[in-house]
Amino acid sequence: DPPQNSTTSNNNSSSMITAATAASTTTATTTTDNDNNETAISSPTSTTTSPQTIPFRFIRATKGDIAASKARWAETCAWRQKLGMDTVLAEPHPKIKVIKQNYPHYFHLRGKNNECCYYEKPPKMNLPELRKQGVQLEDLLRHYATCCEYMWTEIESSEDGKSIYVIDLDGIGIRDFAGEVVDFVKRASSFTADHYPERSGSIFIINVPSWFSVIWNVVKPMVDEVTKKKITIMRYGKEAITEALMKKIDIENIPPEYGGKSMPLGSSPEEVKFMEHFEKLNIQN
């Protein structure tokens, strides 16, 4: 029989996978003429969003359906306006240090095809301490959105940029799939998939427990074939994980935590600049 929380687990696991499933993009955008409904390809705009200009990756995400991509882009523009995403990188972030100390997630160098590499350890998130320090779930979600915005404007500004996403599930228990951490993952996954589509190149889900296969077997039929090809699931075993990562990342760019020869997680140039960026803003304000 499946676990008692199997429905929640399956939905949340699907969302966790979806969080990283943005594929490749192209450099073009499509502009819609409201008067004659014609579309034209134009060069990328700045980070300021325009409802009239549809990034081509939104068209790819809707398999070429212009009407659907226009509607999806309009939703993204509304979301960005509501959260102030066009200015989020110019605003102070006073809770960034306590969030980073209690939620392990890192920008870390590049893949073999120049992909941005991002590592995350959801089971290590210390929600009780975060709450104690005044960090609420909405603060975490805004921080996650800030990380996305930083990656795709400061680390990689190209519209055809891709990522390699490494999700480390070391220490996760089946009860965790029904808790607040997965609620966070699910909500963060939702806006990542909706508003940053066509961004992911490869997804590694590592240090998975033996029972994860039960969840994956249920989720797998709901995942499209293109996404399946991006996902690598690894159980415990440092050497095997290192070998898997080396197919996409040079050993010099893999953190030592996973058998590589780079600097440790949290010490990469991207991570240092990310922290310095907001430290300066916090001092100025």
Side-chain angles (χ1 to χ4, degrees):
D1 292 336
Q4 183 178 359
N5 292 321
S6 60
T7 301
T8 300
S9 300
N10 296 337
N11 291 339
N12 289 336
S13 299
S14 179
S15 296
M16 184 178 291
I17 293 167
T18 303
T21 60
S24 61
T25 72
T26 69
T27 57
T29 59
T30 298
T31 301
T32 302
D33 188 326
N34 292 327
D35 294 330
N36 56 22
N37 291 323
E38 292 181 354
T39 58
I41 301 297
S42 63
S43 59
T45 61
S46 67
T47 56
T48 301
T49 50
S50 169
Q52 285 72 43
T53 304
I54 308 171
F56 193 71
R57 53 195 170 87
F58 279 76
I59 299 174
R60 292 190 59 171
T62 55
K63 296 179 171 55
D65 187 328
I66 299 298
S69 63
K70 183 179 179 181
R72 183 168 177 176
W73 176 237
E75 292 175 357
T76 291
C77 289
W79 173 81
R80 292 183 64 85
Q81 183 176 16
K82 181 179 179 181
L83 269 69
M85 294 305 297
D86 286 346
T87 59
V88 70
L89 298 183
E91 299 170 359
H93 188 350
K95 297 180 180 178
I96 189 169
K97 283 189 176 181
V98 67
I99 290 176
K100 294 293 289 186
Q101 289 168 356
N102 293 282
Y103 165 31
H105 57 293
Y106 315 94
F107 304 112
H108 195 86
L109 304 177
R110 298 274 184 156
K112 290 185 176 182
N113 293 316
N114 205 40
E115 306 97 329
C116 300
C117 296
Y118 183 80
Y119 295 76
E120 187 169 4
K121 302 179 181 182
K124 307 300 183 184
M125 183 185 290
N126 188 344
L127 276 176
E129 182 61 27
L130 286 168
R131 283 196 297 269
K132 182 180 177 181
Q133 296 294 330
V135 179
Q136 304 302 320
L137 182 59
E138 295 303 321
D139 297 320
L140 284 174
L141 290 168
R142 183 168 180 80
H143 171 81
Y144 196 87
T146 300
C147 289
C148 291
E149 194 69 11
Y150 187 87
M151 176 180 283
W152 300 121
T153 56
E154 298 297 323
I155 297 178
E156 179 56 78
S157 60
S158 171
E159 272 291 301
D160 60 359
K162 297 182 183 180
S163 68
I164 295 175
Y165 186 16
V166 182
I167 309 170
D168 188 347
L169 297 185
D170 183 30
I172 198 166
I174 197 164
R175 291 178 179 272
D176 293 327
F177 277 92
E180 287 184 282
V181 171
V182 172
D183 182 34
F184 162 75
V185 171
K186 186 176 181 180
R187 292 178 62 182
S189 301
S190 178
F191 72 68
T192 301
D194 290 345
H195 307 306
Y196 295 93
E198 301 293 306
R199 282 299 197 185
S200 181
S202 301
I203 306 148
F204 293 89
I205 305 175
I206 63 173
N207 290 322
V208 302
S210 58
W211 49 263
F212 187 82
S213 60
V214 176
I215 295 171
W216 176 241
N217 286 338
V218 176
V219 173
K220 191 174 182 180
M222 297 182 283
V223 181
D224 65 79
E225 291 301 319
V226 174
T227 301
K228 286 179 186 176
K229 293 178 181 179
K230 298 176 184 178
I231 299 173
T232 300
I233 298 177
M234 303 287 299
R235 294 190 64 181
Y236 291 92
K238 190 171 183 178
E239 291 184 5
I241 290 172
T242 304
E243 289 181 10
L245 293 176
M246 284 178 61
K247 293 179 181 179
K248 297 292 182 179
I249 310 170
D250 289 331
I251 188 69
E252 291 79 12
N253 283 4
I254 297 174
E257 290 89 337
Y258 303 114
K261 298 181 179 180
S262 75
M263 69 289 293
L265 288 173
S267 303
S268 71
E270 298 92 339
E271 189 70 19
V272 171
K273 289 181 180 178
F274 176 66
M275 295 301 293
E276 288 179 345
H277 175 87
F278 286 103
E279 285 173 1
K280 289 179 181 178
L281 288 174
N282 289 342
I283 291 172
Q284 292 170 2
N285 293 272

